[in-house]
Amino acid sequence: MYDIAIIGLGPAGATLARLLDSNFSIAVIDKKRSDGTGFHKPCGGLLALDAQKSISQFDLALPKDVLVDPQIFAVRTLDIKTGIIRHYQRFYINLDRYKFDLWLKSLIPEHVDIFEDSICTSIEHHNDSYHLQYISGGKTKNITAKYIIGADGANSIIRKFLYPHKKIRSYVSIQQWFLEKHLNPFYSCIFDPENTDCYSWAISKDGYFIFGGAYPKKNCRTRFENQKKQLKELGFCLEEVQKTECCLVLRPSKFNDFCTGKNNAFLIGEAAGFISASSLEGISSAINTAYYLSEVLNAKKPNPCLAYHKKTLKLRLKLYLKVLKCPFMYSPPLRKLVMSTGINSIKVIKNTNK
Ligand SMILES: Cc1cc2nc3c(=O)[nH]c(=O)nc-3n(C[C@H](O)[C@H](O)[C@H](O)COP(=O)(O)OP(=O)(O)OC[C@H]3O[C@@H](n4cnc5c(N)ncnc54)[C@H](O)[C@@H]3O)c2cc1C
């Protein structure tokens, strides 16, 4: 019997496990392994300014070994339909996402019981406590907790348990890794309304070139392959696939898509729908919502679900503004107009000596 059980050890779960008071007995169940094998979260691994701020508020500094080569300061934005390419300044940190998660995990204090390589399979609620079943090493195990926290990302089992009838817009994200063959490493953001009403990306990372995108579920693989073909024609080096990754990604479209939990069960990070609908940036919200919930639980507030819901109001409004921003960013005529003017873009100077 634990006070608190956290499901998922991405940025949200790891931050919460680090910040909860040591008076609580805490269990964490996560399907990842620390030895590099098994599940790796497919992710662009770009730490945006908001996420950098979220980390700095804890006075933490990133260790060098979570960074990858190279660091890139501009995004090459490509609109496939119009063929317009523009470069825009960006302040991302290029990360190894798996190592980043392991670093956040390494900061969790020893009093927290971590069950890794374990998949939570079912939840029941009886007499003011939750019974969780999980599979670890081929065996089915159980724990009981007063509070449960769904930090289990886009395909959250806790969200489905709490809100079985609530649907949130989601996409299939497909990423492939290739050996880096481009002369100049780069980061690219690709708009291609024929294949997706979301966006795609490509980025160089430690000798690899990753291409991925978020696609509507129907014919997602065909859409991905169509795009790959078009990008190859535009000079992208996408030969000899090293690995293919795929996962669900949420893209909120309504204010009530953000669900924070009920009955002593809470959702943090992407499980709650906290991800930007315009950029799919989600690491900052994962860290921030974990912090908000830790404050509520550590203060032993009488109605923690309500207190946490209120604390997330500013973030919910901020992320809803990102939903409202989408029609401007994703409307082909508007994008054409903005990109044609070159407003806010960087003029790239070619070195003719090369
Ligand atoms: C392809 C892609 C690219 C992205 N690129 C970026 C980016 O560059 N920058 C950015 O800021 N955001 C990016 N995002 C969004 C970002 O990855 C997520 O919003 C963020 O990771 C959410 O953190 P989280 O801790 O809430 O969930 P997650 O990081 O998804 O972590 C959830 C964890 O829960 C565990 N888990 C899930 N189900 C179970 C279960 N049943 N039992 C046990 N454990 C379970 C998994 O091990 C997983 O690690 C991207 C998303 C995708 C899909």
Side-chain angles (χ1 to χ4, degrees), residues 47-114:
L47 203 65
L49 276 180
D50 278 349
Q52 294 168 33
K53 191 172 164 195
S54 305
I55 291 173
S56 9
Q57 71 188 333
F58 302 115
D59 207 12
L60 289 173
L62 269 188
K64 173 166 106 324
D65 62 308
V66 306
L67 304 184
V68 295
D69 182 43
Q71 297 298 319
I72 302 169
F73 307 119
V75 53
R76 184 195 290 182
T77 303
L78 162 63
D79 187 327
I80 292 196
K81 197 165 177 207
T82 58
I84 305 176
I85 298 176
R86 291 281 178 200
H87 290 75
Y88 297 96
Q89 189 174 12
R90 286 292 177 272
F91 303 94
Y92 296 131
I93 294 175
N94 196 3
L95 290 175
D96 179 320
R97 172 62 204 265
Y98 178 71
K99 286 188 185 164
F100 177 69
D101 281 5
L102 289 188
W103 169 65
L104 288 174
K105 183 182 164 202
S106 74
L107 305 175
I108 299 173
E110 279 188 2
H111 65 263
V112 176
D113 288 343
I114 301 179

Coordinates of all heavy atoms in Angstrom, one line a residue, residues 47-114:
L47 N 14.7 20.9 -26.9 CA 14.3 21.6 -25.7 C 14.1 23.1 -26.0 O 15.0 23.8 -26.2 CB 15.5 21.4 -24.6 CG 15.1 21.5 -23.2 CD1 14.1 20.4 -22.8 CD2 16.3 21.5 -22.3
A48 N 12.8 23.4 -26.0 CA 12.4 24.8 -26.4 C 12.7 25.8 -25.2 O 13.0 25.3 -24.1 CB 11.0 24.8 -26.7
L49 N 12.6 27.0 -25.5 CA 12.9 28.1 -24.4 C 12.0 27.8 -23.2 O 12.5 27.9 -22.1 CB 12.6 29.5 -25.0 CG 13.7 30.1 -25.8 CD1 13.3 31.5 -26.3 CD2 15.0 30.2 -24.9
D50 N 10.7 27.5 -23.4 CA 9.8 27.3 -22.2 C 10.3 26.1 -21.4 O 10.3 26.2 -20.2 CB 8.4 27.0 -22.7 CG 7.6 28.2 -23.1 OD1 8.1 29.3 -22.8 OD2 6.6 28.1 -23.7
A51 N 10.8 25.1 -22.0 CA 11.3 23.9 -21.3 C 12.6 24.3 -20.6 O 12.9 23.8 -19.4 CB 11.5 22.7 -22.2
Q52 N 13.5 25.1 -21.2 CA 14.7 25.5 -20.6 C 14.4 26.3 -19.3 O 15.0 26.1 -18.3 CB 15.5 26.4 -21.6 CG 16.0 25.6 -22.8 CD 16.6 26.5 -23.9 OE1 17.2 27.5 -23.6 NE2 16.4 26.1 -25.1
K53 N 13.3 27.1 -19.4 CA 12.9 27.9 -18.3 C 12.4 27.0 -17.2 O 12.7 27.2 -16.0 CB 11.8 28.9 -18.7 CG 11.5 30.0 -17.7 CD 10.6 31.0 -18.3 CE 10.0 31.9 -17.2 NZ 8.8 32.6 -17.8
S54 N 11.6 26.0 -17.5 CA 11.0 25.1 -16.6 C 12.2 24.4 -15.8 O 12.1 24.2 -14.6 CB 10.2 24.0 -17.2 OG 9.2 24.6 -18.0
I55 N 13.2 24.0 -16.5 CA 14.3 23.4 -15.8 C 15.1 24.3 -14.9 O 15.5 24.0 -13.8 CB 15.3 22.7 -16.9 CG1 14.5 21.5 -17.5 CG2 16.6 22.2 -16.3 CD1 15.2 20.9 -18.7
S56 N 15.3 25.6 -15.4 CA 16.1 26.5 -14.7 C 15.4 26.9 -13.4 O 16.0 27.3 -12.4 CB 16.5 27.8 -15.4 OG 15.9 27.8 -16.7
Q57 N 14.0 26.8 -13.3 CA 13.4 27.3 -12.1 C 13.7 26.3 -10.9 O 13.6 26.7 -9.8 CB 11.8 27.3 -12.3 CG 11.2 25.9 -12.4 CD 9.7 26.0 -12.8 OE1 9.0 27.0 -12.5 NE2 9.2 25.0 -13.5
F58 N 14.3 25.2 -11.2 CA 14.7 24.3 -10.1 C 16.2 24.4 -9.9 O 16.8 23.5 -9.2 CB 14.4 22.8 -10.5 CG 12.9 22.5 -10.8 CD1 12.5 22.2 -12.0 CD2 12.0 22.7 -9.8 CE1 11.2 21.9 -12.3 CE2 10.7 22.5 -10.0 CZ 10.2 22.1 -11.2
D59 N 16.8 25.4 -10.5 CA 18.3 25.6 -10.4 C 19.1 24.3 -10.9 O 20.1 24.0 -10.3 CB 18.6 25.9 -8.9 CG 19.9 26.8 -8.8 OD1 20.3 27.2 -9.9 OD2 20.4 26.9 -7.7
L60 N 18.5 23.7 -11.9 CA 19.2 22.5 -12.4 C 20.0 22.9 -13.7 O 19.6 23.8 -14.4 CB 18.2 21.4 -12.9 CG 17.4 20.7 -11.7 CD1 16.3 19.8 -12.3 CD2 18.4 19.9 -10.9
A61 N 21.1 22.2 -13.9 CA 21.9 22.4 -15.1 C 22.0 21.1 -15.9 O 22.2 20.1 -15.3 CB 23.3 22.9 -14.8
L62 N 21.8 21.2 -17.2 CA 21.8 20.0 -18.1 C 23.2 19.4 -18.2 O 24.2 20.2 -18.5 CB 21.4 20.4 -19.5 CG 20.0 20.4 -19.9 CD1 20.0 20.6 -21.4 CD2 19.4 19.1 -19.6
P63 N 23.4 18.1 -17.9 CA 24.7 17.5 -18.1 C 25.0 17.5 -19.6 O 24.1 17.3 -20.4 CB 24.6 16.1 -17.5 CG 23.1 15.9 -17.4 CD 22.4 17.2 -17.4
K64 N 26.3 17.6 -19.9 CA 26.8 17.6 -21.3 C 26.4 16.4 -22.1 O 26.1 16.4 -23.3 CB 28.3 17.8 -21.3 CG 29.0 17.7 -22.6 CD 30.4 18.3 -22.4 CE 31.5 17.3 -22.4 NZ 32.1 16.3 -22.2
D65 N 26.4 15.2 -21.4 CA 26.1 14.0 -22.2 C 24.7 13.8 -22.6 O 24.4 12.8 -23.4 CB 26.6 12.7 -21.4 CG 25.9 12.5 -20.1 OD1 25.9 13.5 -19.3 OD2 25.4 11.4 -19.9
V66 N 23.8 14.6 -22.3 CA 22.4 14.5 -22.9 C 22.3 15.3 -24.2 O 21.3 15.2 -24.9 CB 21.3 14.9 -21.9 CG1 21.3 14.2 -20.6 CG2 21.2 16.4 -21.7
L67 N 23.4 16.2 -24.4 CA 23.3 17.0 -25.6 C 23.8 16.1 -26.8 O 24.5 15.2 -26.7 CB 24.3 18.2 -25.5 CG 24.0 19.1 -24.3 CD1 25.0 20.3 -24.4 CD2 22.6 19.6 -24.4
V68 N 23.4 16.5 -28.0 CA 23.8 15.8 -29.2 C 24.5 16.8 -30.1 O 24.4 18.0 -29.9 CB 22.7 15.1 -30.0 CG1 22.1 14.0 -29.2 CG2 21.7 16.1 -30.4
D69 N 25.2 16.3 -31.1 CA 25.9 17.1 -32.1 C 25.1 17.1 -33.4 O 24.6 16.1 -33.8 CB 27.3 16.5 -32.3 CG 28.1 17.2 -33.2 OD1 28.2 18.5 -33.1 OD2 28.7 16.6 -34.1
P70 N 24.8 18.3 -34.0 CA 25.2 19.6 -33.7 C 24.1 20.4 -33.0 O 23.0 19.9 -32.9 CB 25.4 20.2 -35.1 CG 24.3 19.6 -35.9 CD 24.1 18.2 -35.3
Q71 N 24.4 21.6 -32.5 CA 23.4 22.5 -32.0 C 23.0 23.4 -33.1 O 23.9 23.9 -33.8 CB 23.9 23.2 -30.8 CG 24.2 22.3 -29.6 CD 22.9 21.6 -29.1 OE1 21.9 22.1 -29.0 NE2 23.1 20.3 -28.8
I72 N 21.7 23.6 -33.4 CA 21.3 24.3 -34.6 C 20.5 25.6 -34.2 O 19.6 25.4 -33.3 CB 20.5 23.4 -35.5 CG1 21.3 22.2 -35.9 CG2 20.0 24.1 -36.7 CD1 20.6 21.0 -36.5
F73 N 20.7 26.7 -34.8 CA 20.0 27.9 -34.3 C 19.0 28.5 -35.3 O 18.5 29.6 -35.1 CB 21.1 29.0 -34.1 CG 22.2 28.5 -33.1 CD1 23.5 28.5 -33.6 CD2 21.9 28.1 -31.9 CE1 24.5 28.0 -32.7 CE2 22.9 27.6 -31.0 CZ 24.2 27.6 -31.5
A74 N 18.6 27.7 -36.3 CA 17.6 28.1 -37.2 C 16.8 26.9 -37.7 O 17.4 25.8 -37.8 CB 18.2 28.9 -38.4
V75 N 15.6 27.2 -38.0 CA 14.7 26.1 -38.6 C 14.5 26.5 -40.1 O 14.2 27.6 -40.4 CB 13.4 25.9 -37.8 CG1 12.6 27.2 -37.7 CG2 12.5 24.9 -38.5
R76 N 14.8 25.5 -40.9 CA 14.6 25.7 -42.3 C 13.1 25.2 -42.6 O 12.8 24.0 -42.6 CB 15.6 24.8 -43.1 CG 15.5 25.0 -44.6 CD 16.2 23.9 -45.3 NE 17.6 23.9 -45.2 CZ 18.4 23.0 -45.8 NH1 17.9 22.1 -46.6 NH2 19.7 23.1 -45.7
T77 N 12.3 26.2 -42.8 CA 10.9 25.9 -43.0 C 10.5 25.7 -44.4 O 10.9 26.6 -45.3 CB 10.0 27.0 -42.3 OG1 10.4 27.2 -41.0 CG2 8.5 26.7 -42.4
L78 N 9.9 24.6 -44.7 CA 9.6 24.3 -46.1 C 8.1 24.0 -46.3 O 7.5 23.3 -45.6 CB 10.4 23.0 -46.5 CG 10.0 22.2 -47.7 CD1 10.2 23.0 -48.9 CD2 10.9 20.9 -47.8
D79 N 7.6 24.8 -47.3 CA 6.2 24.6 -47.6 C 6.2 23.8 -48.9 O 6.5 24.3 -50.0 CB 5.5 25.9 -47.8 CG 4.0 25.8 -48.0 OD1 3.6 24.7 -48.6 OD2 3.2 26.6 -47.5
I80 N 5.8 22.5 -48.8 CA 6.0 21.6 -50.0 C 5.1 22.1 -51.2 O 5.5 22.1 -52.3 CB 5.7 20.2 -49.7 CG1 6.8 19.6 -48.8 CG2 5.5 19.3 -51.0 CD1 6.8 18.1 -48.7
K81 N 3.9 22.6 -50.8 CA 2.9 23.0 -51.9 C 3.4 24.2 -52.7 O 3.4 24.2 -54.0 CB 1.6 23.3 -51.2 CG 0.4 23.3 -52.2 CD -0.9 23.3 -51.5 CE -2.0 23.4 -52.6 NZ -3.2 24.0 -52.1
T82 N 4.0 25.2 -52.0 CA 4.4 26.4 -52.8 C 5.9 26.3 -53.1 O 6.4 27.1 -53.9 CB 4.2 27.6 -51.9 OG1 5.0 27.5 -50.7 CG2 2.8 27.9 -51.6
G83 N 6.6 25.4 -52.4 CA 8.1 25.3 -52.7 C 8.9 26.4 -52.0 O 10.1 26.5 -52.1
I84 N 8.2 27.2 -51.2 CA 8.9 28.3 -50.5 C 9.7 27.8 -49.3 O 9.2 27.0 -48.5 CB 8.0 29.4 -50.0 CG1 7.1 29.9 -51.1 CG2 8.7 30.6 -49.3 CD1 6.0 31.0 -50.7
I85 N 11.0 28.2 -49.2 CA 11.8 27.8 -48.0 C 12.2 29.1 -47.3 O 12.7 30.1 -48.0 CB 13.1 27.1 -48.5 CG1 12.7 25.8 -49.2 CG2 14.0 26.8 -47.3 CD1 13.8 25.0 -49.8
R86 N 12.1 29.1 -46.0 CA 12.6 30.3 -45.2 C 13.3 29.7 -44.0 O 12.9 28.7 -43.5 CB 11.4 31.1 -44.8 CG 10.7 31.9 -45.9 CD 11.5 33.1 -46.3 NE 10.8 33.8 -47.4 CZ 11.4 34.6 -48.2 NH1 12.7 34.9 -48.0 NH2 10.7 35.2 -49.1
H87 N 14.3 30.5 -43.5 CA 15.0 30.1 -42.3 C 14.5 31.1 -41.2 O 14.5 32.3 -41.4 CB 16.5 30.2 -42.5 CG 17.0 29.2 -43.4 ND1 16.9 29.2 -44.7 CD2 17.7 28.1 -43.1 CE1 17.4 28.2 -45.3 NE2 18.0 27.5 -44.3
Y88 N 14.2 30.5 -40.0 CA 13.8 31.3 -38.9 C 14.6 31.0 -37.7 O 14.9 29.8 -37.5 CB 12.3 31.1 -38.5 CG 11.3 31.4 -39.7 CD1 10.9 30.5 -40.6 CD2 10.9 32.8 -39.8 CE1 10.0 30.8 -41.6 CE2 10.1 33.1 -40.9 CZ 9.6 32.1 -41.7 OH 8.8 32.5 -42.8
Q89 N 15.0 32.0 -36.9 CA 15.8 31.8 -35.8 C 15.1 31.0 -34.7 O 13.9 31.3 -34.5 CB 16.3 33.1 -35.2 CG 17.3 33.0 -34.1 CD 17.9 34.3 -33.6 OE1 17.3 35.4 -33.9 NE2 18.9 34.3 -32.9
R90 N 15.8 30.0 -34.1 CA 15.2 29.3 -33.0 C 16.2 29.0 -31.9 O 17.4 29.1 -32.2 CB 14.7 27.9 -33.5 CG 13.4 27.9 -34.3 CD 12.2 28.3 -33.5 NE 11.0 28.4 -34.3 CZ 10.6 29.5 -34.9 NH1 11.3 30.6 -34.8 NH2 9.4 29.6 -35.6
F91 N 15.8 28.8 -30.7 CA 16.7 28.7 -29.6 C 16.6 27.4 -28.9 O 16.6 27.2 -27.7 CB 16.4 29.8 -28.6 CG 16.5 31.2 -29.2 CD1 15.4 31.9 -29.7 CD2 17.7 31.9 -29.3 CE1 15.4 33.1 -30.2 CE2 17.8 33.1 -29.9 CZ 16.7 33.8 -30.3
Y92 N 16.4 26.3 -29.7 CA 16.3 25.0 -29.1 C 17.6 24.4 -28.7 O 18.7 24.7 -29.3 CB 15.7 24.0 -30.2 CG 14.3 24.3 -30.7 CD1 14.1 24.4 -32.1 CD2 13.3 24.6 -29.8 CE1 12.8 24.7 -32.5 CE2 12.0 24.8 -30.3 CZ 11.8 24.9 -31.6 OH 10.5 25.1 -32.1
I93 N 17.6 23.5 -27.7 CA 18.7 22.7 -27.4 C 18.4 21.3 -28.0 O 17.4 20.7 -27.8 CB 19.0 22.6 -25.9 CG1 19.3 24.0 -25.4 CG2 20.0 21.6 -25.6 CD1 19.4 24.0 -23.9
N94 N 19.4 20.8 -28.8 CA 19.2 19.5 -29.4 C 19.7 18.4 -28.5 O 20.9 18.4 -28.1 CB 20.1 19.5 -30.7 CG 19.7 18.4 -31.7 OD1 18.8 17.7 -31.5 ND2 20.4 18.4 -32.8
L95 N 18.8 17.5 -28.1 CA 19.0 16.5 -27.1 C 18.9 15.1 -27.5 O 18.2 14.8 -28.5 CB 17.9 16.6 -26.0 CG 17.7 17.8 -25.1 CD1 16.4 17.6 -24.3 CD2 18.9 17.9 -24.2
D96 N 19.5 14.2 -26.8 CA 19.2 12.8 -26.9 C 18.1 12.6 -25.9 O 18.2 12.6 -24.7 CB 20.4 12.0 -26.5 CG 20.2 10.5 -26.5 OD1 19.1 10.0 -26.1 OD2 21.1 9.7 -27.0
R97 N 16.9 12.4 -26.4 CA 15.7 12.4 -25.6 C 15.7 11.2 -24.6 O 15.3 11.4 -23.4 CB 14.4 12.3 -26.5 CG 13.1 12.0 -25.8 CD 12.7 13.2 -24.8 NE 11.9 12.7 -23.8 CZ 10.5 12.8 -23.8 NH1 9.9 13.4 -24.8 NH2 9.8 12.3 -22.8
Y98 N 16.2 10.1 -25.0 CA 16.3 8.9 -24.1 C 17.2 9.3 -22.9 O 16.9 9.0 -21.7 CB 16.8 7.7 -24.8 CG 16.9 6.5 -24.0 CD1 15.8 5.8 -23.5 CD2 18.2 6.0 -23.6 CE1 15.9 4.7 -22.7 CE2 18.3 4.8 -22.9 CZ 17.2 4.2 -22.4 OH 17.3 3.1 -21.6
K99 N 18.4 9.8 -23.2 CA 19.3 10.2 -22.1 C 18.8 11.3 -21.2 O 19.0 11.3 -20.0 CB 20.7 10.6 -22.7 CG 21.5 9.5 -23.3 CD 22.8 10.0 -23.7 CE 23.7 8.9 -24.4 NZ 24.8 9.5 -25.1
F100 N 18.0 12.2 -21.8 CA 17.4 13.3 -21.1 C 16.4 12.7 -20.0 O 16.4 13.1 -18.9 CB 16.6 14.2 -22.0 CG 15.9 15.3 -21.4 CD1 16.5 16.4 -20.8 CD2 14.5 15.3 -21.4 CE1 15.8 17.4 -20.2 CE2 13.7 16.4 -20.8 CZ 14.4 17.4 -20.2
D101 N 15.6 11.7 -20.5 CA 14.7 11.1 -19.5 C 15.4 10.3 -18.4 O 15.0 10.4 -17.3 CB 13.8 10.0 -20.3 CG 12.6 10.7 -21.0 OD1 12.6 12.0 -21.0 OD2 11.8 10.0 -21.6
L102 N 16.5 9.7 -18.8 CA 17.3 9.0 -17.8 C 18.0 9.9 -16.8 O 18.1 9.7 -15.6 CB 18.4 8.1 -18.4 CG 18.0 6.9 -19.2 CD1 19.2 6.0 -19.6 CD2 17.0 6.0 -18.4
W103 N 18.4 11.1 -17.3 CA 18.9 12.1 -16.4 C 17.9 12.6 -15.4 O 18.1 12.6 -14.2 CB 19.5 13.3 -17.2 CG 19.8 14.5 -16.4 CD1 20.8 14.5 -15.4 CD2 19.2 15.7 -16.3 NE1 20.8 15.8 -14.8 CE2 19.8 16.5 -15.4 CE3 18.1 16.3 -17.0 CZ2 19.4 17.9 -15.1 CZ3 17.7 17.6 -16.8 CH2 18.4 18.4 -15.8
L104 N 16.7 12.9 -15.9 CA 15.6 13.3 -15.0 C 15.3 12.2 -13.9 O 15.1 12.5 -12.8 CB 14.3 13.6 -15.8 CG 14.4 14.9 -16.6 CD1 13.1 15.1 -17.4 CD2 14.5 16.2 -15.7
K105 N 15.3 11.0 -14.4 CA 15.1 9.8 -13.5 C 16.2 9.7 -12.4 O 15.9 9.4 -11.3 CB 15.1 8.5 -14.3 CG 14.7 7.3 -13.5 CD 14.8 6.1 -14.4 CE 14.9 4.8 -13.6 NZ 15.4 3.7 -14.3
S106 N 17.4 10.0 -12.8 CA 18.6 9.9 -11.9 C 18.4 10.9 -10.7 O 19.1 10.8 -9.7 CB 19.9 10.1 -12.6 OG 20.1 11.5 -12.9
L107 N 17.6 11.9 -10.9 CA 17.4 12.9 -9.8 C 16.4 12.5 -8.8 O 16.2 13.2 -7.8 CB 17.0 14.3 -10.5 CG 17.9 14.9 -11.6 CD1 17.3 16.1 -12.2 CD2 19.3 15.2 -11.0
I108 N 15.7 11.4 -9.0 CA 14.6 11.0 -8.1 C 15.3 10.4 -6.8 O 16.2 9.6 -6.9 CB 13.8 9.9 -8.8 CG1 13.1 10.4 -10.0 CG2 12.7 9.3 -7.8 CD1 12.3 9.4 -10.9
P109 N 14.8 10.9 -5.7 CA 15.4 10.5 -4.4 C 15.2 9.0 -4.1 O 14.3 8.4 -4.7 CB 14.8 11.3 -3.4 CG 13.6 12.0 -4.0 CD 13.8 11.9 -5.5
E110 N 16.0 8.4 -3.2 CA 16.0 7.0 -3.0 C 14.7 6.4 -2.4 O 14.4 5.3 -2.5 CB 17.2 6.6 -2.2 CG 18.5 6.4 -3.0 CD 19.6 5.9 -2.3 OE1 19.5 5.5 -1.1 OE2 20.7 5.8 -2.9
H111 N 14.0 7.3 -1.6 CA 12.8 6.8 -0.9 C 11.7 6.4 -1.9 O 10.7 5.8 -1.5 CB 12.3 7.8 0.1 CG 11.8 9.1 -0.5 ND1 12.6 10.2 -0.6 CD2 10.6 9.4 -1.0 CE1 11.9 11.2 -1.1 NE2 10.7 10.7 -1.4
V112 N 11.8 6.8 -3.2 CA 10.8 6.4 -4.2 C 11.1 5.0 -4.7 O 12.2 4.7 -5.2 CB 10.8 7.5 -5.3 CG1 9.8 7.1 -6.4 CG2 10.5 8.9 -4.8
D113 N 10.1 4.1 -4.7 CA 10.3 2.8 -5.3 C 10.0 2.8 -6.8 O 8.9 3.2 -7.2 CB 9.3 1.8 -4.7 CG 9.7 1.5 -3.2 OD1 10.9 1.8 -2.8 OD2 8.8 1.0 -2.5
I114 N 11.0 2.5 -7.6 CA 10.8 2.6 -9.1 C 10.7 1.2 -9.6 O 11.6 0.4 -9.4 CB 12.0 3.4 -9.7 CG1 12.1 4.8 -9.2 CG2 11.8 3.4 -11.3 CD1 13.2 5.6 -9.8

